[in-house]
């Protein structure tokens, strides 16, 4: 399977073996996706929404799928080489803990509207068309950034482990996931992700055992390198990454699709609990490759190899079949992440056009958008940098939208929320200018071009000031608007729940009514034209 390549310092999977592993894996996933889609491709409710269709364990595995992708092979070990064990567990906690936000917020959405199926649908209902357009565009761009980072990872991994040119496998992976998601919609994505994640979980455990048995650094090496004691940066990452990931998940339609796919509130709470531990275990195991590579000497801080490649320095020291296992694992993770992003992008675009455009036009738009994503991925941007830009945008803009869930804040107008979104972005620039002492560096903090791992608190401050600033701007403008309304003797704006819905502050103990379930059963009879 493997051939030695001295220039890369370790075994690589040969071209025939690489082609076999990649394409056999993809054929299996294509068949699985088409079988899963057979049930949903003629059912509008399952295809578009899959509301209340998933069991606890299926949903738990789907929360794992939407949280991980092949990018974890680079970002997590890099954290370990810089912030040590503390940083690894900070990242693992930050990746897993935001799931509990959906256990809290999901039931609030359903009590607001029991047939809610996406965040964009709520924004349209609560704030109207202007903010709905903005939110849908941000969601589409956000998922596009995730796709860029995922395809960049595929490009890098295939380049490291095989002599193949990565472009062809990248395109074929996108084609495979596009075919079965276009055929089966959200339901096909949910079912394939659950089965793929069982395989992924097993493969990662096998790989972890192999690495643990084969790579055994001495106690002296561990003490010499360090990375064991708690660090200041590791502590800050607990707050930075938790805020960043929690807010960014709010813009990922994949999370909302899974939240609304739960059969009831109890199942959702259990799924987030089990999903938390699955995500935590997988991310912690992968992240520990960073410190382990440093202790074993396969990676050193003064080498030309970046910390993000620490895992692959370990793989290079192991038998060739481990490289083959990594190739299958990368393909599986990528299929999970890409089909989730494609269905999320479809949902955002379909909501953007208010579901008034033929569904095949939206499918075609998703295919077209894959082209610039692949082009950008071939430029090999910094994966962590892409994530950070998306996270900063989410931190600065999501809280004004979520305020619409509160019945006590029914005076918030869409203009107030819009001002709050822009205010969150402005707050980061103002903080940066004050903290760094000059306008140029201060406003460049919005781009986080210095990365996540800096020696001062600029990144921590940016991620804290962004959400706080968005609320300050929103409430200030709301007060100003209401004051002007009073002076002009106009009627004050108050949002009223549409007929057939009920407030999130009432009936707090209920999950779904019999009428809701009956309505859902009726909707499942709808078929695609």
């Amino acid at each position: 399977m493997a051939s030695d390549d001295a220039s890369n310092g370790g075994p690589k999977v040969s071209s025939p073996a690489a082609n076999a592993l990649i394409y056999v894996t993809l054929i299996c996933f294509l068949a699985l996706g088409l079988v899963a889609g057979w049930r949903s491709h003629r059912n509008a409710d399952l295809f578009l929404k899959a509301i209340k269709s998933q069991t606890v364990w299926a949903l738990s595995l789907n929360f794992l799928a939407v949280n991980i992708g092949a990018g974890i092979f680079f970002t997590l070990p890099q954290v370990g080489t810089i912030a040590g064990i503390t940083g690894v567990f900070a990242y693992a906690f930050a990746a897993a803990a935001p799931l509990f936000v959906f256990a809290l917020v999901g039931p609030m959405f359903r009590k607001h509207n029991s047939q809610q199926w996406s965040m964009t649908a709520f924004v349209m209902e609560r704030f109207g068309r202007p903010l709905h357009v903005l939110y849908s565009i941000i969601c589409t761009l956000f998922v596009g950034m995730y796709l860029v980072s995922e395809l960049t990872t595929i490009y890098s991994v295939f380049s490291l482990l095989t002599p193949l040119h990565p472009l062809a496998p990248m395109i074929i992976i996108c084609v495979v996931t596009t075919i079965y998601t276009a055929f089966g919609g959200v339901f096909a994505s949910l079912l394939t992700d659950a089965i793929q994640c069982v395989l992924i979980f097993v493969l990662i455990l096998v790989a972890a055992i192999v690495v643990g048995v084969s790579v055994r650094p001495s106690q002296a090496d561990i003490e010499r390198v360090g990375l064991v004691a708690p660090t200041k940066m590791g502590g800050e990452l607990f707050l930075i990454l938790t805020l960043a990931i929690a807010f960014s998940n709010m813009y990922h339609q994949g999370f909302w699709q899974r939240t609304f796919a739960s059969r009831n509130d109890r199942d959702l709470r259990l799924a987030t609990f089990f999903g938390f531990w699955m995500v935590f275990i997988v991310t912690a195991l992968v992240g520990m490759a960073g410190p382990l590579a440093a202790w074993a000497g396969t990676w050193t801080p003064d080498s030309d190899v970046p910390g993000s490649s620490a895992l692959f320095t370990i793989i290079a020291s192991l038998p060739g079949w481990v490289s083959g296992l990594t190739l299958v694992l990368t393909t599986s993770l990528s299929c999970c992440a890409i089909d989730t992003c494609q269905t999320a992008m479809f949902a955002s675009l379909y909501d953007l056009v208010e579901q008034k455009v033929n569904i095949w036009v939206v499918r075609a738009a998703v295919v077209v958008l894959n082209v610039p994503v692949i082009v950008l991925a071939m430029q090999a941007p910094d994966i962590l940098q892409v994530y950070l830009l998306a996270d900063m945008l989410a931190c600065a803009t999501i809280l004004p939208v979520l305020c619409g869930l509160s019945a006590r804040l029914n005076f918030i107008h869409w203009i107030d929320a819009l001002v709050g979104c822009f205010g969150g972005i402005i707050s980061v620039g103002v903080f940066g200018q004050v903290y760094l002492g000059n306008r140029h560096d201060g406003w460049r903090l919005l781009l986080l071009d210095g990365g996540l791992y800096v020696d001062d608190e600029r990144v921590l401050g940016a991620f804290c000031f962004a959400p706080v600033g968005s609320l300050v701007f929103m409430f200030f403008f709301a007060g100003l608007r209401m004051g002007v309304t009073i002076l002009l003797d106009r009627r004050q704006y108050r949002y009223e729940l549409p007929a057939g819905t009920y407030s999130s502050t009432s009936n707090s103990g209920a999950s779904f009514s019999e009428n809701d379930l009956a309505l859902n059963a009726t909707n499942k009879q709808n078929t695609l034209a």
Side-chain angles (χ1 to χ4, degrees), residues 470-524:
S470 68
L471 292 180
V472 170
F473 271 80
M474 182 187 73
F475 285 118
F476 175 80
F477 189 83
L480 184 64
R481 176 185 55 77
M482 294 171 70
V484 171
T485 303
I486 292 173
L487 289 176
L488 296 177
D489 196 25
R490 300 287 181 84
R491 181 182 176 184
Q492 292 288 354
Y493 169 81
R494 287 289 187 273
Y495 171 73
E496 296 181 1
L497 288 170
T501 65
Y502 52 99
S503 169
S504 60
T505 59
S506 64
N507 299 325
S508 57
S511 293
F512 308 109
S513 68
E514 293 180 1
N515 289 336
D516 294 336
L517 296 176
L519 180 57
N520 184 59
T522 302
N523 287 338
K524 288 190 176 183

Side-chain angles (χ1 to χ4, degrees), residues 1-2 11-13 210 214 314-326:
M1 174 183 290
K12 290 178 80 172
V13 182
V210 171
S214 304
I314 295 178
I315 293 173
S317 67
L318 298 175
W321 67 267
V322 179
S323 297
L325 178 70
T326 307

Side-chain angles (χ1 to χ4, degrees), residues 153-232:
T153 301
I154 298 171
Y155 194 89
S156 301
V157 173
F158 288 177
S159 297
L160 286 168
L161 297 182
T162 77
L164 303 175
H165 192 287
L167 179 60
M170 281 173 57
I171 293 175
I172 293 174
I173 288 175
C174 289
V175 169
V176 166
T177 54
T178 299
I179 290 173
Y180 70 72
T181 54
F183 179 70
V186 175
F187 185 79
S189 175
L190 293 173
L191 188 55
T192 53
D193 281 358
I195 297 174
Q196 287 166 348
C197 274
V198 173
L199 173 64
I200 289 167
F201 203 77
V202 171
L203 291 178
I204 286 180
L205 289 178
V206 170
I209 292 170
V210 171
V211 171
V213 170
S214 304
V215 183
R216 294 185 175 182
S218 65
Q219 184 64 33
D221 289 331
I222 295 175
E223 292 176 356
R224 174 178 54 82
V225 174
L227 299 177
V228 177
T231 62
K232 176 185 175 184

Side-chain angles (χ1 to χ4, degrees), residues 8 46 78 134 147 153 160 164 199 209 223-224 226 265 323 337-338 349 387 394-395 403 411 492:
N8 285 287
L46 286 178
Q78 183 181 22
L134 177 64
L147 274 174
T153 301
L160 286 168
L164 303 175
L199 173 64
I209 292 170
E223 292 176 356
R224 174 178 54 82
D265 294 348
S323 297
I338 292 171
L349 292 175
Y387 283 136
C395 279
C403 284
F411 60 88
Q492 292 288 354

Side-chain angles (χ1 to χ4, degrees), residues 315-365:
I315 293 173
S317 67
L318 298 175
W321 67 267
V322 179
S323 297
L325 178 70
T326 307
L327 204 57
V328 174
L329 188 54
T330 301
T331 305
S332 304
L333 283 166
S334 297
C335 282
C336 264
I338 292 171
D339 73 24
T340 299
C341 286
Q342 287 175 334
T343 55
M345 186 178 289
F346 172 86
S348 297
L349 292 175
Y350 197 50
D351 275 343
L352 179 60
V353 296
E354 299 185 82
Q355 305 174 29
K356 295 178 180 178
V357 175
N358 186 284
I359 204 168
W360 283 102
V361 174
V362 183
R363 285 172 177 168

